mmCIF file with all atom_site columns, all heavy atoms in Angstrom:
data_model
loop_
_atom_site.group_PDB
_atom_site.id
_atom_site.type_symbol
_atom_site.label_atom_id
_atom_site.label_alt_id
_atom_site.label_comp_id
_atom_site.label_asym_id
_atom_site.label_entity_id
_atom_site.label_seq_id
_atom_site.pdbx_PDB_ins_code
_atom_site.Cartn_x
_atom_site.Cartn_y
_atom_site.Cartn_z
_atom_site.occupancy
_atom_site.B_iso_or_equiv
_atom_site.pdbx_formal_charge
_atom_site.auth_seq_id
_atom_site.auth_comp_id
_atom_site.auth_asym_id
_atom_site.auth_atom_id
_atom_site.pdbx_PDB_model_num
ATOM 1   N N   . LEU O 1 225 ? -8.339  19.863 13.261 1.00 0.00 ? 759 LEU O N   1
ATOM 2   C CA  . LEU O 1 225 ? -6.907  19.962 13.529 1.00 0.00 ? 759 LEU O CA  1
ATOM 3   C C   . LEU O 1 225 ? -6.129  20.162 12.229 1.00 0.00 ? 759 LEU O C   1
ATOM 4   O O   . LEU O 1 225 ? -6.491  19.620 11.184 1.00 0.00 ? 759 LEU O O   1
ATOM 5   C CB  . LEU O 1 225 ? -6.412  18.688 14.227 1.00 0.00 ? 759 LEU O CB  1
ATOM 6   C CG  . LEU O 1 225 ? -7.159  18.286 15.500 1.00 0.00 ? 759 LEU O CG  1
ATOM 7   C CD1 . LEU O 1 225 ? -6.573  17.002 16.060 1.00 0.00 ? 759 LEU O CD1 1
ATOM 8   C CD2 . LEU O 1 225 ? -7.107  19.402 16.530 1.00 0.00 ? 759 LEU O CD2 1
ATOM 9   N N   . PHE O 1 231 ? -0.685  13.738 13.930 1.00 0.00 ? 765 PHE O N   1
ATOM 10  C CA  . PHE O 1 231 ? -1.909  13.063 14.386 1.00 0.00 ? 765 PHE O CA  1
ATOM 11  C C   . PHE O 1 231 ? -3.058  13.359 13.441 1.00 0.00 ? 765 PHE O C   1
ATOM 12  O O   . PHE O 1 231 ? -3.776  12.466 12.997 1.00 0.00 ? 765 PHE O O   1
ATOM 13  C CB  . PHE O 1 231 ? -2.235  13.495 15.820 1.00 0.00 ? 765 PHE O CB  1
ATOM 14  C CG  . PHE O 1 231 ? -3.597  13.063 16.304 1.00 0.00 ? 765 PHE O CG  1
ATOM 15  C CD1 . PHE O 1 231 ? -3.988  11.737 16.226 1.00 0.00 ? 765 PHE O CD1 1
ATOM 16  C CD2 . PHE O 1 231 ? -4.487  13.981 16.842 1.00 0.00 ? 765 PHE O CD2 1
ATOM 17  C CE1 . PHE O 1 231 ? -5.248  11.325 16.670 1.00 0.00 ? 765 PHE O CE1 1
ATOM 18  C CE2 . PHE O 1 231 ? -5.738  13.591 17.295 1.00 0.00 ? 765 PHE O CE2 1
ATOM 19  C CZ  . PHE O 1 231 ? -6.119  12.257 17.204 1.00 0.00 ? 765 PHE O CZ  1
ATOM 20  N N   . ALA O 1 235 ? -4.915  10.614 11.085 1.00 0.00 ? 769 ALA O N   1
ATOM 21  C CA  . ALA O 1 235 ? -6.287  10.314 11.502 1.00 0.00 ? 769 ALA O CA  1
ATOM 22  C C   . ALA O 1 235 ? -7.344  10.996 10.645 1.00 0.00 ? 769 ALA O C   1
ATOM 23  O O   . ALA O 1 235 ? -8.447  10.467 10.486 1.00 0.00 ? 769 ALA O O   1
ATOM 24  C CB  . ALA O 1 235 ? -6.477  10.717 12.968 1.00 0.00 ? 769 ALA O CB  1
ATOM 25  N N   . ILE O 1 267 ? -17.493 11.336 13.093 1.00 0.00 ? 801 ILE O N   1
ATOM 26  C CA  . ILE O 1 267 ? -16.254 11.133 13.857 1.00 0.00 ? 801 ILE O CA  1
ATOM 27  C C   . ILE O 1 267 ? -15.513 12.464 13.957 1.00 0.00 ? 801 ILE O C   1
ATOM 28  O O   . ILE O 1 267 ? -15.433 13.218 12.980 1.00 0.00 ? 801 ILE O O   1
ATOM 29  C CB  . ILE O 1 267 ? -15.353 10.078 13.184 1.00 0.00 ? 801 ILE O CB  1
ATOM 30  C CG1 . ILE O 1 267 ? -16.056 8.712  13.154 1.00 0.00 ? 801 ILE O CG1 1
ATOM 31  C CG2 . ILE O 1 267 ? -14.010 9.951  13.915 1.00 0.00 ? 801 ILE O CG2 1
ATOM 32  C CD1 . ILE O 1 267 ? -15.329 7.659  12.323 1.00 0.00 ? 801 ILE O CD1 1
ATOM 33  N N   . LEU O 1 268 ? -14.973 12.722 15.140 1.00 0.00 ? 802 LEU O N   1
ATOM 34  C CA  . LEU O 1 268 ? -14.183 13.932 15.366 1.00 0.00 ? 802 LEU O CA  1
ATOM 35  C C   . LEU O 1 268 ? -12.870 13.549 16.023 1.00 0.00 ? 802 LEU O C   1
ATOM 36  O O   . LEU O 1 268 ? -12.854 12.857 17.037 1.00 0.00 ? 802 LEU O O   1
ATOM 37  C CB  . LEU O 1 268 ? -14.948 14.909 16.264 1.00 0.00 ? 802 LEU O CB  1
ATOM 38  C CG  . LEU O 1 268 ? -14.159 16.131 16.791 1.00 0.00 ? 802 LEU O CG  1
ATOM 39  C CD1 . LEU O 1 268 ? -13.720 17.019 15.636 1.00 0.00 ? 802 LEU O CD1 1
ATOM 40  C CD2 . LEU O 1 268 ? -15.003 16.910 17.788 1.00 0.00 ? 802 LEU O CD2 1
ATOM 41  N N   . MET O 1 269 ? -11.767 13.992 15.433 1.00 0.00 ? 803 MET O N   1
ATOM 42  C CA  . MET O 1 269 ? -10.447 13.840 16.037 1.00 0.00 ? 803 MET O CA  1
ATOM 43  C C   . MET O 1 269 ? -10.090 15.157 16.719 1.00 0.00 ? 803 MET O C   1
ATOM 44  O O   . MET O 1 269 ? -10.239 16.227 16.112 1.00 0.00 ? 803 MET O O   1
ATOM 45  C CB  . MET O 1 269 ? -9.393  13.509 14.971 1.00 0.00 ? 803 MET O CB  1
ATOM 46  C CG  . MET O 1 269 ? -9.683  12.240 14.190 1.00 0.00 ? 803 MET O CG  1
ATOM 47  S SD  . MET O 1 269 ? -9.585  10.761 15.233 1.00 0.00 ? 803 MET O SD  1
ATOM 48  C CE  . MET O 1 269 ? -10.148 9.507  14.073 1.00 0.00 ? 803 MET O CE  1
ATOM 49  N N   . ALA O 1 270 ? -9.632  15.080 17.966 1.00 0.00 ? 804 ALA O N   1
ATOM 50  C CA  . ALA O 1 270 ? -9.403  16.303 18.728 1.00 0.00 ? 804 ALA O CA  1
ATOM 51  C C   . ALA O 1 270 ? -8.141  16.208 19.565 1.00 0.00 ? 804 ALA O C   1
ATOM 52  O O   . ALA O 1 270 ? -7.730  15.126 19.969 1.00 0.00 ? 804 ALA O O   1
ATOM 53  C CB  . ALA O 1 270 ? -10.602 16.588 19.646 1.00 0.00 ? 804 ALA O CB  1
ATOM 54  N N   . VAL O 1 271 ? -7.535  17.365 19.822 1.00 0.00 ? 805 VAL O N   1
ATOM 55  C CA  . VAL O 1 271 ? -6.518  17.466 20.861 1.00 0.00 ? 805 VAL O CA  1
ATOM 56  C C   . VAL O 1 271 ? -7.260  17.811 22.147 1.00 0.00 ? 805 VAL O C   1
ATOM 57  O O   . VAL O 1 271 ? -8.413  18.246 22.122 1.00 0.00 ? 805 VAL O O   1
ATOM 58  C CB  . VAL O 1 271 ? -5.458  18.541 20.520 1.00 0.00 ? 805 VAL O CB  1
ATOM 59  C CG1 . VAL O 1 271 ? -4.611  18.098 19.355 1.00 0.00 ? 805 VAL O CG1 1
ATOM 60  C CG2 . VAL O 1 271 ? -6.103  19.891 20.259 1.00 0.00 ? 805 VAL O CG2 1
ATOM 61  N N   . ALA O 1 275 ? -11.210 19.263 22.785 1.00 0.00 ? 809 ALA O N   1
ATOM 62  C CA  . ALA O 1 275 ? -12.201 18.429 23.471 1.00 0.00 ? 809 ALA O CA  1
ATOM 63  C C   . ALA O 1 275 ? -12.750 19.144 24.703 1.00 0.00 ? 809 ALA O C   1
ATOM 64  O O   . ALA O 1 275 ? -13.969 19.111 24.971 1.00 0.00 ? 809 ALA O O   1
ATOM 65  C CB  . ALA O 1 275 ? -11.580 17.091 23.869 1.00 0.00 ? 809 ALA O CB  1
ATOM 66  N N   . PHE O 1 318 ? -18.324 9.035  17.923 1.00 0.00 ? 852 PHE O N   1
ATOM 67  C CA  . PHE O 1 318 ? -17.275 9.088  18.939 1.00 0.00 ? 852 PHE O CA  1
ATOM 68  C C   . PHE O 1 318 ? -16.261 10.169 18.613 1.00 0.00 ? 852 PHE O C   1
ATOM 69  O O   . PHE O 1 318 ? -16.165 10.656 17.482 1.00 0.00 ? 852 PHE O O   1
ATOM 70  C CB  . PHE O 1 318 ? -16.578 7.734  19.113 1.00 0.00 ? 852 PHE O CB  1
ATOM 71  C CG  . PHE O 1 318 ? -15.733 7.272  17.956 1.00 0.00 ? 852 PHE O CG  1
ATOM 72  C CD1 . PHE O 1 318 ? -14.388 7.598  17.872 1.00 0.00 ? 852 PHE O CD1 1
ATOM 73  C CD2 . PHE O 1 318 ? -16.280 6.480  16.946 1.00 0.00 ? 852 PHE O CD2 1
ATOM 74  C CE1 . PHE O 1 318 ? -13.601 7.163  16.822 1.00 0.00 ? 852 PHE O CE1 1
ATOM 75  C CE2 . PHE O 1 318 ? -15.507 6.032  15.886 1.00 0.00 ? 852 PHE O CE2 1
ATOM 76  C CZ  . PHE O 1 318 ? -14.156 6.379  15.825 1.00 0.00 ? 852 PHE O CZ  1
ATOM 77  N N   . ILE O 1 319 ? -15.521 10.539 19.655 1.00 0.00 ? 853 ILE O N   1
ATOM 78  C CA  . ILE O 1 319 ? -14.424 11.494 19.553 1.00 0.00 ? 853 ILE O CA  1
ATOM 79  C C   . ILE O 1 319 ? -13.146 10.768 19.951 1.00 0.00 ? 853 ILE O C   1
ATOM 80  O O   . ILE O 1 319 ? -13.125 10.062 20.961 1.00 0.00 ? 853 ILE O O   1
ATOM 81  C CB  . ILE O 1 319 ? -14.642 12.702 20.489 1.00 0.00 ? 853 ILE O CB  1
ATOM 82  C CG1 . ILE O 1 319 ? -15.949 13.434 20.130 1.00 0.00 ? 853 ILE O CG1 1
ATOM 83  C CG2 . ILE O 1 319 ? -13.454 13.663 20.428 1.00 0.00 ? 853 ILE O CG2 1
ATOM 84  C CD1 . ILE O 1 319 ? -16.342 14.497 21.140 1.00 0.00 ? 853 ILE O CD1 1
ATOM 85  N N   . ALA O 1 320 ? -12.106 10.905 19.163 1.00 0.00 ? 854 ALA O N   1
ATOM 86  C CA  . ALA O 1 320 ? -10.803 10.330 19.513 1.00 0.00 ? 854 ALA O CA  1
ATOM 87  C C   . ALA O 1 320 ? -9.861  11.487 19.848 1.00 0.00 ? 854 ALA O C   1
ATOM 88  O O   . ALA O 1 320 ? -9.755  12.449 19.089 1.00 0.00 ? 854 ALA O O   1
ATOM 89  C CB  . ALA O 1 320 ? -10.238 9.511  18.356 1.00 0.00 ? 854 ALA O CB  1
ATOM 90  N N   . VAL O 1 321 ? -9.196  11.382 20.994 1.00 0.00 ? 855 VAL O N   1
ATOM 91  C CA  . VAL O 1 321 ? -8.326  12.451 21.477 1.00 0.00 ? 855 VAL O CA  1
ATOM 92  C C   . VAL O 1 321 ? -6.876  11.977 21.432 1.00 0.00 ? 855 VAL O C   1
ATOM 93  O O   . VAL O 1 321 ? -6.549  10.866 21.862 1.00 0.00 ? 855 VAL O O   1
ATOM 94  C CB  . VAL O 1 321 ? -8.691  12.871 22.907 1.00 0.00 ? 855 VAL O CB  1
ATOM 95  C CG1 . VAL O 1 321 ? -7.789  13.994 23.398 1.00 0.00 ? 855 VAL O CG1 1
ATOM 96  C CG2 . VAL O 1 321 ? -10.146 13.322 22.968 1.00 0.00 ? 855 VAL O CG2 1
ATOM 97  N N   . GLY O 1 322 ? -6.006  12.820 20.914 1.00 0.00 ? 856 GLY O N   1
ATOM 98  C CA  . GLY O 1 322 ? -4.581  12.494 20.858 1.00 0.00 ? 856 GLY O CA  1
ATOM 99  C C   . GLY O 1 322 ? -3.768  13.765 20.757 1.00 0.00 ? 856 GLY O C   1
ATOM 100 O O   . GLY O 1 322 ? -4.292  14.872 20.867 1.00 0.00 ? 856 GLY O O   1
ATOM 101 N N   . THR O 1 340 ? -19.087 9.183  23.817 1.00 0.00 ? 874 THR O N   1
ATOM 102 C CA  . THR O 1 340 ? -17.955 8.264  23.775 1.00 0.00 ? 874 THR O CA  1
ATOM 103 C C   . THR O 1 340 ? -16.686 8.991  23.326 1.00 0.00 ? 874 THR O C   1
ATOM 104 O O   . THR O 1 340 ? -16.643 9.550  22.228 1.00 0.00 ? 874 THR O O   1
ATOM 105 C CB  . THR O 1 340 ? -18.231 7.090  22.825 1.00 0.00 ? 874 THR O CB  1
ATOM 106 O OG1 . THR O 1 340 ? -19.403 6.399  23.265 1.00 0.00 ? 874 THR O OG1 1
ATOM 107 C CG2 . THR O 1 340 ? -17.063 6.129  22.793 1.00 0.00 ? 874 THR O CG2 1
ATOM 108 N N   . VAL O 1 341 ? -15.683 8.988  24.193 1.00 0.00 ? 875 VAL O N   1
ATOM 109 C CA  . VAL O 1 341 ? -14.394 9.596  23.878 1.00 0.00 ? 875 VAL O CA  1
ATOM 110 C C   . VAL O 1 341 ? -13.308 8.583  24.194 1.00 0.00 ? 875 VAL O C   1
ATOM 111 O O   . VAL O 1 341 ? -13.282 8.011  25.286 1.00 0.00 ? 875 VAL O O   1
ATOM 112 C CB  . VAL O 1 341 ? -14.154 10.889 24.680 1.00 0.00 ? 875 VAL O CB  1
ATOM 113 C CG1 . VAL O 1 341 ? -12.797 11.485 24.323 1.00 0.00 ? 875 VAL O CG1 1
ATOM 114 C CG2 . VAL O 1 341 ? -15.254 11.906 24.423 1.00 0.00 ? 875 VAL O CG2 1
ATOM 115 N N   . ILE O 1 342 ? -12.416 8.342  23.229 1.00 0.00 ? 876 ILE O N   1
ATOM 116 C CA  . ILE O 1 342 ? -11.294 7.434  23.469 1.00 0.00 ? 876 ILE O CA  1
ATOM 117 C C   . ILE O 1 342 ? -9.990  8.200  23.299 1.00 0.00 ? 876 ILE O C   1
ATOM 118 O O   . ILE O 1 342 ? -9.898  9.124  22.493 1.00 0.00 ? 876 ILE O O   1
ATOM 119 C CB  . ILE O 1 342 ? -11.317 6.209  22.530 1.00 0.00 ? 876 ILE O CB  1
ATOM 120 C CG1 . ILE O 1 342 ? -11.329 6.638  21.048 1.00 0.00 ? 876 ILE O CG1 1
ATOM 121 C CG2 . ILE O 1 342 ? -12.502 5.310  22.847 1.00 0.00 ? 876 ILE O CG2 1
ATOM 122 C CD1 . ILE O 1 342 ? -11.171 5.483  20.089 1.00 0.00 ? 876 ILE O CD1 1
ATOM 123 N N   . GLU O 1 343 ? -9.006  7.803  24.090 1.00 0.00 ? 877 GLU O N   1
ATOM 124 C CA  . GLU O 1 343 ? -7.705  8.458  24.036 1.00 0.00 ? 877 GLU O CA  1
ATOM 125 C C   . GLU O 1 343 ? -6.658  7.506  23.489 1.00 0.00 ? 877 GLU O C   1
ATOM 126 O O   . GLU O 1 343 ? -6.668  6.313  23.796 1.00 0.00 ? 877 GLU O O   1
ATOM 127 C CB  . GLU O 1 343 ? -7.284  8.938  25.425 1.00 0.00 ? 877 GLU O CB  1
ATOM 128 C CG  . GLU O 1 343 ? -5.973  9.710  25.427 1.00 0.00 ? 877 GLU O CG  1
ATOM 129 C CD  . GLU O 1 343 ? -5.597  10.245 26.800 1.00 0.00 ? 877 GLU O CD  1
ATOM 130 O OE1 . GLU O 1 343 ? -6.098  9.707  27.806 1.00 0.00 ? 877 GLU O OE1 1
ATOM 131 O OE2 . GLU O 1 343 ? -4.795  11.194 26.866 1.00 0.00 ? 877 GLU O OE2 1
ATOM 132 N N   . GLY O 1 344 ? -5.785  8.030  22.668 1.00 0.00 ? 878 GLY O N   1
ATOM 133 C CA  . GLY O 1 344 ? -4.675  7.248  22.148 1.00 0.00 ? 878 GLY O CA  1
ATOM 134 C C   . GLY O 1 344 ? -3.357  7.915  22.475 1.00 0.00 ? 878 GLY O C   1
ATOM 135 O O   . GLY O 1 344 ? -3.312  8.964  23.126 1.00 0.00 ? 878 GLY O O   1
ATOM 136 N N   . ILE O 1 356 ? -4.057  2.747  21.532 1.00 0.00 ? 890 ILE O N   1
ATOM 137 C CA  . ILE O 1 356 ? -5.362  3.397  21.576 1.00 0.00 ? 890 ILE O CA  1
ATOM 138 C C   . ILE O 1 356 ? -6.278  2.614  22.500 1.00 0.00 ? 890 ILE O C   1
ATOM 139 O O   . ILE O 1 356 ? -6.158  1.385  22.621 1.00 0.00 ? 890 ILE O O   1
ATOM 140 C CB  . ILE O 1 356 ? -5.969  3.524  20.161 1.00 0.00 ? 890 ILE O CB  1
ATOM 141 C CG1 . ILE O 1 356 ? -7.161  4.481  20.155 1.00 0.00 ? 890 ILE O CG1 1
ATOM 142 C CG2 . ILE O 1 356 ? -6.341  2.159  19.596 1.00 0.00 ? 890 ILE O CG2 1
ATOM 143 C CD1 . ILE O 1 356 ? -7.551  4.932  18.761 1.00 0.00 ? 890 ILE O CD1 1
#
Side-chain angles (χ1 to χ4, degrees):
L759 306 179
F765 170 53
I801 297 171
L802 170 63
M803 301 294 174
V805 291
F852 68 90
I853 300 171
V855 181
T874 301
V875 180
I876 57 173
E877 184 177 21
I890 193 164

